[in-house]
Amino acid sequence: MNKQLRVLFIGTYVPKECGIATFTSDLLNSVSEKYTDFHCEVIALNDPSETYNYPDEVVFQIERDKIEDYYRAADYINQSDADIVCLQHEFGLFGGNGGDYIFALLSGIDKPVITTLHTVIREPELEYRVSTEKLIKYSEKLVVMSQTAVNMLKDVYEAPEDKIEVIFHGLPDYPFNDCDKYKKVLNLKGSPLVLAFGLLSPNKGIESMLEALPDVISQYPDLVYLILGATHPMVKKKHGEVYRQDLKNKVSELGLEDNVIFHDKFVEKEELCNYILASDIYASPYLSREQIVSGALTYAIGMGKAIVSTPYWYAQEMLSENRGLLVDFRDTEGFKKSLLYLIENPEECDIMRKKAYDFGRKMTWENVGKEYTAVFHKALNNYNTYPKIQNRFNFLPNQLPEVKLDHLKLLTDDVGIIQHTDFSVPALRYGYSTDDVARALVALTQLINSEEKAEEFWKLITTYMSFLEHAQTDTGHFHNFMSYRGEFLDEKGSEDTLGRAIYGLGHVVSCSYLSKNIRTLAHTLISKSRPEMENLSHPRAKAYTMCGLYEMLRTGIDADEFGSIFDSRRDAVKSGDSLMEKDAFESIFVSHADSLVDLYETNHKEDWNWFGPTVTYSNAKLSESLLLAYNYTKDKTYRKIGLATLDFLTEIQWRGDFFDLVGNHGWYSYNGKKPLFDQQPIEAGYLTQAYVSAYDIVHDKRYLVLAKYSFEYFLGRNRLQTVMYDYSTGAVCDGLNSDGMNCNQGAEPVICYLMALNSLNKHENEAFSTLLQSRVSAEISAEVSAEVSDEISEVTLQK
């Protein structure tokens, strides 16, 4: 290959003090230093609150227990020019159950993954079985370091044999040596010098060796047992130095103070190798049979040490054919006899050492790097270049769901709509809100296309209208929250509440199939709110108000149609408001549109086409309100800014095959990080409505495709690939959190789902036809991001 291949390693990394960090660094160097056609970089894994001064090759960092970091890493990988991902896997490196946070990353990338398994469990608990099976699924190749691991992957996990590659744990290449030379370098004594090294923890089994030493030292008093290494950071964090102190106490009890030395420090690789080279015997009394690899044992083999070890799986395989001695777990007598055998039979010991050394030549980093590069090429050549992540939403239906109102009816009683639920059960303690009732009127009126439908929904609409009339204050504003006991909990709601109320009432006024009485009541409530509407200052309140007034203004309703009924309600409204003044409401409508234009002109930048410095909530409603303003006034400025801001929302949320909505967990500010969670379904619903409005105005089928995709957010086209819609009840879950879906099913998500479904329904056939022609959603993303808003405006003006 002429092209330089770029490998992105994922694992802990130096200067972190752990074995896998050292392994990742050594593996990277074995590839990048020898093979100039490879460029290597690292995504480093950190424990909580860890910070390191990483070398330049570290390009991204993941905090172990922050799932958002895994999603962001996936985004980084997809946007990078990496060709291959090489994952170092050990369950404890990653957050979640069985380390399952890593699948937030693996499920979202479109690169071949080569996974090095540092642990394989023969009898796994469920969470570890599931994680291992997922690793097999997401990996193009699985690298293990022993044949034992190969057999377990095939027998226990049914991994395909052609996915598995055996590459030994690497080690530095040193000549077969004379131990005394390195003892002098390090000023060490001991004849023999017995070594244990690595991060100290109870599973190292050091006690077994200590208990074996008194009888050996009685015959060979110059023996020194050197225990080299700092306490494992996780052990130290949880238990402090209790284990080390227990070992020291045992040394005192056994009278071994002159023969046992503790070097409590993490030694760098070169110094560690000197200690190994200085030793005569390496002892590996580990207590866990299921250890499938050991870097320490590998180094001891490759440097030609005499070895005595317990029969954990890796040791059984590596020390076969007389490359070392095996002693049963916790077998003090066995360790004593083995040490004496090695000391008293120097010729046999040297033969054993040479066999270990010769076998270790296969494990040098030069050979390991060569084998990894071969696997990288093989994986890349076999990888299906068609983006795999585009197939992950193949479970989506090929038509829109039928309208289902069961859950909305369940939440509705004789007063209004219960706001929240415990799972799917209405939670009465939360009471009602004007916000939900008003938007429910939008959803229902959109469904009414005949007098039969109007009759079908009469009870619901009458209940909601009754609630809004009761919620309206003397000034024309609206209370928002009402307790289940029927008491309003606020003096008045927010400006957004007023806007949402007008939004719902405007749709009632414009629905010609409803009775004149219902429509007139809606008209009257809007008229009473006029002074409040004129004084709005919040942009979203203005946008909601514009959407409601647009519905009323576009129908051309005038006071003559309802004159007699208005006359009968003069006591309810001021005489000057009894006949709706079309010019007055047009003035409010245009004034609010102009104020949104002013906000945009003040705040937008070359790379930030938005109304303010932060993207927060109900975002697409701002863009849609200006598109509706264009539709009513034909002022092209409204269309230009409406499309520019809608395209900006697409740019920051469309991920190539799904919408990654701005989460409520912090909002998205200019030059800040976009929060990935808590994503609210309302944003997908409003996007769908805005895209449909854009399509209706400029007839660009791209917007219809995007409307389809944003609606499918409810059906599983989202970051978690989670179906939020319940096809059996019509309920929708409340949101997507970092730990999964919020399984409560409140009023807001189902209402916004219905509004989105209703908007898209009128274009269903065309949307699916367009979708079939535009199935490769990456093309849509490229098209959207490539066009700036001014270019879009010019194209649409020509149309």
Side-chain angles (χ1 to χ4, degrees):
M1 282 188 175
N2 295 323
K3 176 181 177 291
Q4 189 178 45
L5 294 180
R6 307 183 80 86
V7 183
L8 195 52
F9 290 87
I10 302 176
T12 52
Y13 202 69
V14 294
K16 182 179 174 70
E17 296 177 353
C18 86
I20 292 181
T22 304
F23 179 93
T24 307
S25 174
D26 287 340
L27 176 57
L28 180 147
N29 290 328
S30 73
V31 173
S32 61
E33 292 179 0
K34 179 77 173 177
Y35 301 94
T36 57
D37 56 338
F38 281 87
H39 176 78
C40 300
E41 294 176 328
V42 179
I43 292 179
L45 291 155
N46 300 328
D47 289 332
S49 304
E50 281 185 344
T51 56
Y52 293 104
N53 184 22
Y54 283 118
D56 292 342
E57 60 264 26
V58 174
V59 294
F60 197 94
Q61 297 179 45
I62 295 173
E63 185 173 318
R64 183 188 65 208
D65 295 330
K66 283 188 177 179
I67 194 168
E68 286 198 23
D69 284 2
Y70 295 86
Y71 287 113
R72 292 189 192 283
D75 295 340
Y76 175 86
I77 292 169
N78 287 332
Q79 294 165 18
S80 75
D81 54 2
D83 297 295
I84 300 164
V85 173
C86 185
L87 172 69
Q88 304 307 308
H89 186 271
E90 156 65 49
F91 295 106
L93 294 183
F94 311 101
N97 292 326
D100 64 0
Y101 279 9
I102 188 59
F103 302 114
L105 186 158
L106 295 179
S107 66
I109 63 173
D110 186 30
K111 312 280 185 181
V113 177
I114 291 86
T115 299
T116 303
L117 295 171
H118 292 262
T119 299
V120 182
I121 304 174
R122 177 171 285 168
E123 297 178 356
E125 295 178 8
L126 179 60
E127 62 202 67
Y128 297 113
R129 172 178 285 279
V130 170
S131 287
T132 304
E133 289 173 348
K134 283 186 176 181
L135 279 172
I136 295 167
K137 170 187 172 184
Y138 287 118
S139 301
E140 194 74 16
K141 289 288 185 181
L142 300 162
V143 175
V144 291
M145 305 181 203
S146 66
Q147 187 59 43
T148 305
V150 173
N151 296 338
M152 277 196 284
L153 283 176
K154 292 193 298 184
D155 297 343
V156 179
Y157 301 98
E158 298 181 352
E161 187 170 4
D162 60 357
K163 271 196 175 188
I164 307 171
E165 302 283 345
V166 178
I167 303 177
F168 289 121
H169 190 297
L171 56 87
D173 193 5
Y174 284 90
F176 194 72
N177 73 291
D178 177 6
C179 306
D180 291 337
K181 170 185 173 183
Y182 288 91
K183 287 179 185 177
K184 291 178 182 178
V185 171
L186 296 171
N187 194 27
L188 290 173
K189 296 180 180 180
S191 180
L193 176 62
V194 183
L195 179 67
F197 67 91
L199 293 172
L200 191 63
S201 63
N203 67 359
K204 297 291 187 182
I206 301 295
E207 299 92 334
S208 300
M209 276 295 297
L210 293 177
E211 291 167 0
L213 288 180
D215 288 346
V216 179
I217 290 172
S218 67
Q219 300 178 56
Y220 300 96
D222 291 334
L223 182 149
V224 171
Y225 183 32
L226 174 59
I227 302 169
L228 175 65
T231 301
H232 195 291
M234 298 304 293
V235 174
K236 189 172 183 178
K237 182 177 180 180
K238 190 172 183 180
H239 302 290
E241 294 288 4
V242 172
Y243 179 62
R244 182 180 296 274
Q245 189 58 50
D246 287 345
L247 293 178
K248 288 182 176 180
N249 292 341
K250 182 171 282 291
V251 168
S252 298
E253 291 170 10
L254 296 171
L256 300 174
E257 293 94 334
D258 295 334
N259 299 88
V260 177
I261 301 172
F262 289 90
H263 278 194
D264 181 7
K265 63 178 181 177
F266 183 87
V267 293
E268 298 298 333
K269 184 174 64 176
E270 183 176 352
E271 184 180 7
L272 171 62
C273 291
N274 286 340
Y275 273 104
I276 300 170
L277 292 167
S279 65
D280 299 287
I281 299 171
Y282 169 65
S284 181
Y286 294 175
L287 300 180
S288 173
R289 185 180 300 276
E290 290 199 339
Q291 185 148 344
I292 202 66
V293 67
S294 168
L297 181 61
T298 301
Y299 273 42
I301 290 171
M303 296 184 193
K305 299 293 104 179
I307 300 169
V308 55
S309 173
T310 50
Y312 53 91
W313 291 331
Y314 189 68
Q316 281 185 326
E317 184 172 333
M318 295 299 111
L319 299 181
S320 62
E321 300 180 6
N322 199 33
R323 291 190 288 266
L325 299 178
L326 294 176
V327 176
D328 204 3
F329 300 99
R330 303 181 190 275
D331 184 358
T332 300
E333 185 67 19
F335 277 107
K336 181 185 78 172
K337 291 179 178 179
S338 295
L339 289 173
L340 289 171
Y341 176 83
L342 293 173
I343 296 169
E344 294 170 353
N345 296 277
E347 291 184 2
E348 287 84 348
C349 182
D350 283 344
I351 292 172
M352 189 180 298
R353 288 181 57 206
K354 192 64 170 63
K355 285 186 175 182
Y357 180 82
D358 291 343
F359 183 75
R361 296 316 91 211
K362 303 175 184 178
M363 302 177 172
T364 62
W365 278 118
E366 180 178 357
N367 288 327
V368 167
K370 180 179 179 181
E371 292 188 55
Y372 266 94
T373 59
V375 171
F376 291 159
H377 282 298
K378 190 186 302 184
L380 198 57
N381 290 337
N382 294 339
Y383 187 66
N384 184 356
T385 56
Y386 181 78
K388 290 187 175 182
I389 61 173
Q390 292 186 357
N391 296 327
R392 57 183 166 171
F393 298 114
N394 56 11
F395 59 85
L396 291 167
N398 57 9
Q399 62 184 17
L400 294 177
E402 294 182 357
V403 174
K404 199 168 188 64
L405 300 180
D406 298 30
H407 192 64
L408 180 62
K409 292 176 180 178
L410 175 69
L411 296 174
T412 302
D413 61 14
D414 290 338
V415 176
I417 303 174
I418 302 298
Q419 288 189 82
H420 301 299
T421 66
D422 294 320
F423 297 98
S424 61
V425 179
L428 304 184
R429 65 188 179 279
Y430 292 110
Y432 316 89
S433 79
T434 292
D435 292 342
D436 292 332
V437 166
R439 284 182 293 215
L441 285 171
V442 176
L444 289 180
T445 53
Q446 287 176 330
L447 286 170
I448 297 175
N449 56 9
S450 66
E451 292 181 359
E452 290 75 18
K453 280 290 184 185
E455 185 176 349
E456 179 184 344
F457 300 146
W458 172 84
K459 171 63 174 168
L460 290 173
I461 288 177
T462 301
T463 299
Y464 301 158
M465 285 299 299
S466 174
F467 184 94
L468 290 185
E469 182 183 36
H470 184 48
Q472 192 168 42
T473 68
D474 292 340
T475 66
H477 210 297
F478 290 84
H479 296 288
N480 192 12
F481 300 115
M482 176 192 278
S483 72
Y484 187 65
R485 293 174 299 190
E487 301 164 342
F488 285 112
L489 304 177
D490 49 30
E491 185 177 337
K492 66 177 182 179
S494 66
E495 287 193 1
D496 283 4
T497 294
L498 174 66
R500 292 179 188 118
I502 302 304
Y503 183 34
L505 292 169
H507 276 77
V508 173
V509 171
S510 70
C511 184
S512 60
Y513 292 105
L514 291 175
S515 71
K516 183 180 287 188
N517 287 348
I518 289 287
R519 296 169 66 206
T520 300
L521 175 58
H523 199 279
T524 304
L525 299 180
I526 293 175
S527 296
K528 187 176 178 180
S529 295
R530 196 177 83 191
E532 296 283 354
M533 284 188 270
E534 291 172 340
N535 294 319
L536 291 174
S537 60
H538 294 287
R540 283 161 184 80
K542 294 178 180 181
Y544 280 118
T545 299
M546 289 169 61
C547 291
L549 291 180
Y550 171 79
E551 288 298 315
M552 186 173 66
L553 292 171
R554 75 177 177 85
T555 60
I557 295 175
D558 57 43
D560 292 338
E561 185 176 356
F562 304 115
S564 61
I565 299 175
F566 272 115
D567 290 340
S568 68
R569 291 187 49 84
R570 283 186 184 278
D571 59 331
V573 295
K574 297 178 182 178
S575 60
D577 292 331
S578 61
L579 299 178
M580 185 163 290
E581 297 278 349
K582 180 179 180 182
D583 289 346
F585 285 109
E586 280 187 350
S587 176
I588 295 171
F589 183 77
V590 171
S591 173
H592 289 347
D594 288 342
S595 72
L596 292 181
V597 170
D598 290 342
L599 274 177
Y600 175 80
E601 296 294 351
T602 301
N603 290 283
H604 88 282
K605 299 174 175 59
E606 183 178 354
D607 56 347
W608 188 261
N609 279 328
W610 195 239
F611 300 96
T614 305
V615 177
T616 56
Y617 64 95
S618 303
N619 300 304
K621 198 56 65 181
L622 294 167
S623 304
E624 184 188 10
S625 68
L626 284 181
L627 294 173
L628 297 180
Y630 163 75
N631 220 25
Y632 185 72
T633 66
K634 303 308 177 186
D635 185 329
K636 293 175 182 177
T637 299
Y638 300 151
R639 179 177 64 181
K640 175 183 176 181
I641 295 175
L643 291 174
T645 53
L646 182 58
D647 289 340
F648 174 70
L649 291 178
T650 307
E651 179 185 336
I652 65 173
Q653 297 180 114
W654 175 245
R655 303 304 302 171
D657 63 342
F658 72 97
F659 275 95
D660 202 17
L661 303 177
V662 172
N664 282 10
H665 190 61
W667 308 128
Y668 181 30
S669 296
Y670 181 67
N671 283 337
K673 281 187 177 181
K674 188 182 83 172
L676 303 184
F677 301 103
D678 308 305
Q679 295 186 13
Q680 304 296 304
I682 185 175
E683 303 302 329
Y686 282 177
L687 270 174
T688 303
Q689 289 181 286
Y691 285 133
V692 171
S693 293
Y695 173 71
D696 287 340
I697 291 168
V698 301
H699 308 296
D700 185 340
K701 290 187 176 180
R702 176 188 55 181
Y703 289 119
L704 200 54
V705 174
L706 288 168
K708 181 69 166 61
Y709 284 148
S710 59
F711 175 76
E712 286 181 334
Y713 179 93
F714 296 99
L715 309 181
R717 189 184 287 278
N718 51 56
R719 177 175 279 281
L720 300 186
Q721 302 171 54
T722 298
V723 179
M724 306 178 73
Y725 177 66
D726 187 332
Y727 287 85
S728 64
T729 66
V732 178
C733 289
D734 278 358
L736 296 182
N737 302 329
S738 60
D739 57 353
M741 185 169 65
N742 182 340
C743 292
N744 294 327
Q745 299 174 336
E748 181 181 276
V750 67
I751 292 167
C752 293
Y753 164 85
L754 288 169
M755 289 194 292
L757 177 60
N758 296 338
S759 297
L760 197 54
N761 252 328
K762 61 183 178 180
H763 296 299
E764 178 179 11
N765 292 336
E766 194 173 2
F768 276 102
S769 175
T770 303
L771 192 63
L772 291 173
Q773 298 169 28
S774 311
R775 222 21 170 162
V776 183
S777 53
E779 294 178 5
I780 302 170
S781 181
E783 182 182 349
V784 170
S785 60
E787 295 181 350
V788 298
S789 56
D790 286 341
E791 292 172 338
I792 295 171
S793 178
E794 291 174 8
V795 171
T796 54
L797 282 172
Q798 293 172 7
K799 293 179 180 178

